[in-house]
Amino acid sequence: MATHIKNIAQNHLGNVAIIMDGNGRWAKKNALKISKGHEKGVSVVKEIVEESINQKVKSLTLYAFSTENWGRPTQEINAIKNLIVNAINDQVPELVEQNVQLKFFGNFELFGKKIINKIEYAESSTKSKNPSLKLNIALGYGGQQDIISIVKSVSKGVLDGEIDINKISDKTIKDFSCVPEPSIDLLIRTGGDKRVSNFLLYQIAYSEICFLDNFWPDFTRLEYKNCINQYKTVSRRFGKRV
Ligand code: IPE
Ligand code: IPE
Ligand code: MG
């Protein structure tokens, strides 16, 4: 007897990005200091990294601190700085074991020498030819600022005669961007707001987007898996008639 198995085409999962929002409101809800919300947020990252490896995600790009976040109180910024140092110290050995390659991008020089040194240590310790996952952390990053910087670099290249103006392409923009991934397949934002807050403006041109109500410290593996499963079955048309 012939059996009819319907093949359901699934989208290949490559590059995932997450706007990890809601740490402050989570802390408030639990009558804790804001820094505790950020602390809990870091522990969720650990789980989501694990699940990304399980799901064979190629890269995970996380929004840790935006250009606009410099407008927050000094006390909160200092707590975040300490958290970054502690997270690198605690998690790098495990990331090495998991063969996860860590990369930071954005204008993180503004965080000071101590953090720059830690980032250098984290990136050099986790370098891998064939990583199980590329983990990219946006730190002091803004999409508009990246575009401005790209325009300046490309303009300079044209003025210096190194770039032919007629050959400027999508690839040129991506090559000059500080963002490690050329495009994002799936963008997730927790915390209930439906906006992109200056994240990866160029790279999310054709991303599937998942907005979730849960605050980032309450984000679960199951919710993450649900987003991925939803992504896999959606019809991605890229403007074409299919
Ligand atoms: C996201 O959580 C983390 C950072 C921006 C560093 P928030 O701190 O923005 O949390 P809410 O949005 O105030 O709840
Ligand atoms: C986006 O969250 C930035 C990060 C998650 C790092 P914000 O809390 O800074 O964004 P807005 O202010 O709600 O747009
Ligand atoms: Mg927020």
Side-chain angles (χ1 to χ4, degrees):
M1 193 170 66
T3 50
H4 298 281
I5 299 162
K6 195 175 170 211
N7 282 322
I8 300 166
Q10 290 208 329
N11 295 315
H12 174 73
L13 188 62
N15 302 321
V16 176
I18 308 184
I19 301 171
M20 310 179 290
D21 195 28
N23 293 351
R25 282 164 288 162
W26 179 89
K28 206 169 166 195
K29 185 184 84 175
N30 291 285
L32 295 166
K33 285 200 296 189
I34 286 189
S35 58
K36 289 286 164 199
H38 294 312
E39 217 177 287
K40 181 75 175 30
V42 172
S43 68
V44 175
V45 168
K46 224 173 116 118
E47 274 215 28
I48 297 309
V49 165
E50 259 178 43
E51 194 52 39
S52 300
I53 301 170
N54 291 344
Q55 299 284 333
K56 300 197 167 34
V57 167
K58 227 172 94 198
S59 75
L60 177 65
T61 303
L62 302 175
Y63 207 6
F65 195 91
S66 74
T67 317
E68 290 69 28
N69 290 151
W70 284 113
R72 294 198 177 191
T74 315
Q75 207 186 0
E76 182 177 355
I77 293 175
N78 285 338
I80 291 173
K81 283 183 182 174
N82 285 334
L83 210 56
I84 295 168
V85 172
N86 291 341
I88 290 178
N89 285 339
D90 291 350
Q91 297 197 20
V92 161
E94 200 176 327
L95 293 175
V96 171
E97 225 166 86
Q98 293 168 313
N99 192 20
V100 172
Q101 181 168 285
L102 196 53
K103 172 109 187 92
F104 288 81
F105 67 99
N107 201 354
F108 53 77
E109 281 74 18
L110 296 172
F111 280 86
K113 197 76 196 132
K114 192 173 172 191
I115 299 219
I116 296 172
N117 288 343
K118 277 284 157 205
I119 288 176
E120 276 169 13
Y121 150 76
E123 290 187 346
S124 60
S125 323
T126 57
K127 238 192 188 100
S128 168
K129 279 211 176 79
N130 189 20
S132 61
L133 173 75
K134 285 164 72 189
L135 177 60
N136 309 311
I137 312 285
L139 201 58
Y141 169 85
Q144 291 180 330
Q145 290 73 10
D146 190 30
I147 290 170
I148 293 167
S149 152
I150 297 165
V151 170
K152 285 184 182 168
S153 306
V154 175
S155 305
K156 189 171 182 307
V158 171
L159 286 176
D160 293 348
E162 285 157 7
I163 297 173
D164 177 349
I165 198 162
N166 296 309
K167 290 195 176 140
I168 296 173
S169 65
D170 175 49
K171 188 173 179 307
T172 318
I173 306 297
K174 286 166 178 172
D175 285 349
F176 278 92
S177 170
C178 69
V179 179
E181 309 308 329
S183 60
I184 299 301
D185 296 305
L186 171 63
L187 173 70
I188 297 170
R189 180 179 185 136
T190 60
D193 289 312
K194 295 177 178 67
R195 56 175 174 255
V196 293
S197 301
N198 205 13
F199 194 37
L200 309 179
L201 301 181
Y202 193 84
Q203 295 77 8
I204 60 169
Y206 260 106
S207 304
E208 301 305 322
I209 306 186
C210 220
F211 290 112
L212 300 168
D213 286 334
N214 252 355
F215 299 139
W216 175 252
D218 286 332
F219 186 58
T220 62
R221 254 175 216 266
L222 184 65
E223 269 184 296
Y224 186 40
K225 280 198 235 176
N226 287 343
C227 291
I228 290 175
N229 289 337
Q230 207 178 314
Y231 161 85
K232 282 184 177 163
T233 56
V234 86
S235 164
R236 299 190 85 190
R237 293 182 287 276
F238 298 98
K240 298 184 179 66
R241 181 77 62 206
V242 290

